Amino acid sequence: MDRYTRVLFVLLFVIIAAAILTRVLVEVLDPADYWPGPRITIPTERDKANDTAHSDKERREVIKAAMKHAWDGYHQYAFGADELQPVTNKSNNKWGGWGVTLVDALDTLYIMGLHKEFNQGVTHVTAVDFSKATSGFKTPFFEMVIRSLAGLLTAYEMSLDRRLLAKAQEVGDALMPAFDTSSGIPYPRVDVNSGKAVSADRVCLAEAGTVQLEYWKLSELTGNPKYHDAAQRVVDLLDKAEKPYPGLYPIWIDTKTAKLVSGKITLGGQGDSWYEYMLKQYIFSRHSNDQYRRMYEESMDAMKEKMVQRSIYDPNMYYVGDLDSSAKKFSPMYQHLTCFVPGMLALGSKVLDRPDDLELAKSLAYTCYRMYNTTATGLSPEYVLFRDSHDKGLSQSFSDSMDEFAITKVAGASDKEKQDGFYLGSNKGYVLRPETLESIMILYRVTGDPMYKEWGWEIFKAIDKWTRTASAFSAYKDVTSTKGSSQWTDSMESFFLAETLKYLYLLFSPVDYYSLDEYVFNTEAHPFKLLQTPNL
């Protein structure tokens, strides 16, 4: 080896060593440790003072075993497919064959220390071609951003396996054609096989406005700003859009004009995570973009003024209902999907010094807990309904296909309704949803009140008792029925592994384990490290 070659070799070695050292320092001495912003999480000393360490460890192990049970069933009967059907032990590819359960579950496996299972997943996913999907399938943009793109990004940040970052970029690129509209508002579906978006006149608020964290993280990790720029344009357009009331957004957006054209105003399905991401982008950016703070506070002030009411039978039971597109008609329905709001408010109360929001968060979380606590199984229905003091509300036979603003005189309240504070509609199913547990985990970490751990454990026991099958866990048809296996629907959404079990595990973990001061969780519970370069 001549002298010139030796010099090049030494120089290359120094560059590689410097890159490795820099990454290690980022991992060990995370800048979040020195971030001067307000603390979200209670001090670890206070957490330890609750003296629940022994029971917490035991509960963590039980939840970890539940995760392993679900993963093992998926691995045995559906590995590489989108979902396991946990009753018949069949598989399906309802998301286009990307192996969504596997991708969505990777970081949960890592967090729980299930590294063998994590490595099984990584080996498979690195061989998947994300530029292809099932023939004829039109890939849902939002769902695959929050599940697949986010799952790969967090698996990379945890393991530093660069193959996962390459796969994340492959997913991000496959979905980018959604932004190819005249306005910049994305289409809701992409034909990844042709590399083109599927044209549509409108897209819902959550689909357009809940991809920003993921594409921002992709820009940060790849150094390519195009991803963040495309997603940020959506925020800018909606910020300027005309609204029926400041801070409140009807759910349907015209993809050509970027106007808010119709639909209800809701913090439930189709609207929910848009509001969540205003706050979370502000946190992720280390408070460097005031636009997100301003928009979030405007929306929360409007929500509190126009959308929050309480039960006439329980003065401590608050809920968030829906409004029509004019923001004038109110629907007294509280969706399980809306039960993320207490956690969001708790985060915002600390980050933005809004102490009243924390009190409201506690009251809303109490209602979400009671949605579980009052049923025969201890599982929550998809929504609950409330009446006003004039006995007006939604019909007791209300179904998802009915007009939720058709308020009518309802039959007299039963003793159970008076005791519970609400009544049920026709959709009494539980699809293994995570939102209440998300809020419970956050509220424990914000307040240190051990009551939230007991609530979470109670909910987990109900899930384990009524939804566990021989191979995994199944959604449940009617939470008022104790007929057990006859109520199983043969469905296990990937969010059960990605969110529900992860939030439970973190509830019983030390508060500085994936701390809320160092990570922001996307709407599918994938924890992103806070932005290292806030000016990106």
Side-chain angles (χ1 to χ4, degrees):
M1 184 183 297
D2 60 28
R3 182 179 179 184
Y4 180 71
T5 304
R6 286 198 300 271
V7 170
L8 286 178
F9 180 79
V10 170
L11 182 60
L12 180 61
F13 176 80
V14 169
I15 292 171
I16 293 172
I20 293 172
L21 179 61
T22 299
R23 188 69 208 189
V24 168
L25 287 173
V26 167
E27 294 299 313
V28 177
L29 301 176
D30 193 301
D33 295 336
Y34 308 103
W35 178 240
R39 298 292 295 182
I40 297 171
T41 308
I42 58 170
T44 54
E45 293 78 10
R46 185 174 171 192
D47 183 33
K48 292 173 182 176
N50 285 328
D51 197 26
T52 58
H54 181 69
S55 61
D56 281 357
K57 183 177 180 180
E58 292 178 344
R59 290 175 175 184
R60 274 201 311 275
E61 289 303 309
V62 172
I63 294 161
K64 179 178 177 178
M67 177 66 183
K68 192 171 187 314
H69 175 64
W71 175 265
D72 286 348
Y74 171 76
H75 187 264
Q76 180 175 355
Y77 298 109
F79 194 67
D82 284 335
E83 290 181 355
L84 166 68
Q85 294 174 213
V87 179
T88 59
N89 292 331
K90 296 178 181 179
S91 63
N92 69 62
N93 282 314
K94 75 178 213 180
W95 298 109
W98 279 5
V100 170
T101 292
L102 187 156
V103 177
D104 222 3
L106 282 176
D107 60 5
T108 306
L109 294 169
Y110 196 94
I111 284 171
M112 292 186 182
L114 293 167
H115 296 299
K116 183 186 81 171
E117 291 79 3
F118 175 82
N119 291 329
Q120 289 171 344
V122 170
T123 298
H124 176 83
V125 81
T126 53
V128 175
D129 183 356
F130 289 105
S131 68
K132 304 296 180 186
T134 304
S135 179
F137 184 73
K138 306 301 186 288
T139 300
F141 174 58
F142 154 74
E143 292 288 356
M144 290 304 97
V145 168
I146 66 169
R147 300 188 196 211
S148 298
L149 175 57
L152 290 165
L153 288 169
T154 52
Y156 164 68
E157 282 205 303
M158 292 173 182
S159 68
L160 300 182
D161 185 332
R162 294 196 66 83
R163 296 176 299 168
L164 292 169
L165 178 58
K167 286 298 172 182
Q169 190 165 13
E170 192 176 294
V171 170
D173 287 338
L175 298 174
M176 278 292 284
F179 290 110
D180 292 340
T181 64
S182 57
S183 66
I185 294 294
Y187 289 127
R189 289 183 178 268
V190 176
D191 182 348
V192 299
N193 293 316
S194 70
K196 296 179 181 179
V198 180
S199 181
D201 293 332
R202 66 181 190 175
V203 63
C204 81
L205 181 64
E207 288 176 317
T210 315
V211 299
Q212 285 69 27
L213 279 175
E214 296 79 4
Y215 273 115
W216 201 348
K217 175 58 74 173
L218 184 59
S219 280
E220 179 194 12
L221 294 177
T222 62
N224 190 336
K226 73 174 184 179
Y227 306 111
H228 173 52
D229 290 346
Q232 176 60 34
R233 187 179 180 191
V234 177
V235 178
D236 295 337
L237 288 166
L238 295 179
D239 189 10
K240 296 172 184 175
E242 183 178 353
K243 306 164 189 69
Y245 192 85
L248 299 180
Y249 300 73
I251 59 173
W252 291 114
I253 310 166
D254 189 301
T255 56
K256 294 183 179 66
T257 65
K259 291 182 178 179
L260 299 162
V261 289
S262 63
K264 65 183 178 182
I265 297 164
T266 181
L267 277 88
Q270 299 183 299
D272 44 9
S273 43
W274 159 250
Y275 299 93
E276 173 189 356
Y277 269 33
M278 294 182 210
L279 174 64
K280 288 187 173 179
Q281 286 178 92
Y282 184 66
I283 295 171
F284 178 69
S285 72
R286 298 181 184 273
H287 312 177
S288 65
N289 189 325
D290 200 59
Q291 177 189 31
Y292 310 133
R293 178 206 58 77
R294 170 181 54 77
M295 293 174 70
Y296 172 78
E297 292 197 312
E298 183 178 60
S299 290
M300 291 306 99
D301 291 343
M303 179 197 77
K304 290 163 71 174
E305 178 183 348
K306 305 278 287 185
M307 302 176 73
V308 176
Q309 293 195 21
R310 63 181 177 179
S311 169
I312 63 171
Y313 299 115
D314 185 344
N316 298 313
M317 182 175 283
Y318 286 71
Y319 68 97
V320 181
D322 296 340
L323 295 171
D324 73 344
S325 59
S326 69
K328 293 178 181 178
K329 293 182 180 179
F330 180 80
S331 171
M333 175 173 67
Y334 193 31
Q335 301 177 45
H336 191 289
L337 284 165
T338 313
C339 282
F340 83 94
V341 171
M344 175 182 69
L345 287 171
L347 284 175
S349 74
K350 293 297 183 181
V351 172
L352 301 171
D353 191 23
R354 293 169 60 97
D356 288 349
D357 285 4
L358 181 57
E359 297 311 306
L360 177 58
K362 294 175 184 177
S363 296
L364 293 172
Y366 165 71
T367 309
C368 296
Y369 163 68
R370 291 284 288 166
M371 289 165 67
Y372 285 82
N373 175 253
T374 56
T375 69
T377 57
L379 300 172
S380 171
E382 190 71 356
Y383 52 78
V384 294
L385 306 172
F386 294 82
R387 72 176 67 219
D388 66 19
S389 57
H390 302 291
D391 281 335
K392 288 188 175 181
L394 290 166
S395 166
Q396 281 129 326
S397 60
F398 176 82
S399 69
D400 298 352
S401 62
M402 296 171 65
D403 178 6
E404 70 167 281
F405 299 99
I407 305 302
T408 185
K409 192 82 171 179
V410 292
S414 66
D415 289 341
K416 180 166 176 55
E417 180 188 342
K418 292 176 182 177
Q419 180 179 349
D420 295 350
F422 49 70
Y423 58 100
L424 306 186
S426 62
N427 188 341
K428 300 179 177 69
Y430 175 64
V431 295
L432 305 172
R433 288 205 186 278
E435 291 79 17
T436 295
L437 291 164
E438 173 185 2
S439 287
I440 286 173
M441 185 277 284
I442 294 172
L443 276 163
Y444 173 73
R445 290 190 170 201
V446 167
T447 68
D449 189 338
M451 171 187 72
Y452 294 112
K453 289 187 174 183
E454 299 312 310
W455 286 4
W457 186 242
E458 187 178 321
I459 291 170
F460 171 74
K461 288 193 296 183
I463 292 171
D464 195 51
K465 178 177 181 179
W466 296 105
T467 75
R468 178 186 282 260
T469 73
S471 59
F473 295 83
S474 172
Y476 202 82
K477 291 177 188 175
D478 183 352
V479 299
T480 67
S481 170
T482 56
K483 293 181 180 179
S485 60
S486 69
Q487 296 296 307
W488 292 340
T489 68
D490 202 21
S491 171
M492 182 178 71
E493 287 266 11
S494 68
F495 57 65
F496 179 66
L497 286 77
E499 299 186 71
T500 307
L501 292 176
K502 182 185 293 151
Y503 284 130
L504 276 162
Y505 188 83
L506 291 175
L507 175 63
F508 298 106
S509 297
V511 295
D512 58 353
Y513 189 59
Y514 289 88
S515 168
L516 297 175
D517 290 291
E518 298 176 14
Y519 293 84
V520 62
F521 288 75
N522 92 321
T523 196
E524 191 78 2
H526 297 301
F528 292 158
K529 289 185 176 182
L530 301 188
L531 193 63
Q532 304 295 335
T533 52
N535 60 340
L536 179 64

